[in-house]
Amino acid sequence: QVQLVESGGGLVQAGGSLRLSCAASGGFFRNYAMAWFRQAPGKEREFAAVIRSSDRSSDYIAYADSVSGRFTISRDNARNTVYLQMNKLKPEDTAVYYCAAAAAITYREADYKYWGQGTQVTVSS
């Protein structure tokens, strides 16, 4: 059983930055694909970014078009933590951000077995 705990959310002005963290416990962290999803008020939860460690030197990383070029996902396997650096934030980035873990790379919410409780990000205009 994997437990995920997000932190780092808050209120920021448009154009600002935040870094979210997700600490994992209870599983072999390096084996999991780790993703960030977000859910804006009145909308369905959507994929934002995913990272998967590989045996090669670089991780596999993918982003949703809406965050590509502004957000950066990374992971520290020694600390069992995944991060989401969010730059150039926009009011439309306002959402609850969730960390999730899956056995393989996937963009589908239904494929993620483990979820954190979420952290609120609010971007003011």
Side-chain angles (χ1 to χ4, degrees):
Q1 187 77 7
V2 176
Q3 293 83 42
L4 303 173
V5 179
E6 302 98 334
S7 60
L11 174 63
V12 64
Q13 288 188 333
S17 299
L18 280 175
R19 188 175 84 153
L20 305 182
S21 300
C22 173
S25 62
F28 192 51
F29 179 74
R30 193 182 189 282
N31 283 358
Y32 288 96
M34 300 298 298
W36 289 95
F37 286 77
R38 64 184 186 179
Q39 187 169 20
K43 295 187 177 181
E44 294 187 350
R45 190 154 53 184
E46 64 176 11
F47 166 79
V50 63
I51 186 169
R52 174 73 161 95
S53 293
S54 71
D55 292 333
R56 304 186 187 96
S57 59
S58 59
D59 293 329
Y60 175 89
I61 292 172
Y63 298 98
D65 289 343
S66 57
V67 307
S68 182
R70 300 186 298 121
F71 291 9
T72 302
I73 190 171
S74 62
R75 64 192 294 163
D76 184 338
N77 290 330
R79 296 180 182 271
N80 287 359
T81 301
V82 62
Y83 303 98
L84 187 67
Q85 177 67 44
M86 305 185 295
N87 298 329
K88 300 179 182 179
L89 283 161
K90 306 174 181 180
E92 51 264 43
D93 294 318
T94 295
V96 177
Y97 284 71
Y98 297 90
C99 172
I105 279 283
T106 173
Y107 308 126
R108 294 192 335 133
E109 178 182 350
D111 293 333
Y112 283 83
K113 182 176 182 180
Y114 303 107
W115 291 84
Q117 81 288 351
T119 185
Q120 176 69 47
V121 172
T122 303
V123 184
S124 63
S125 57

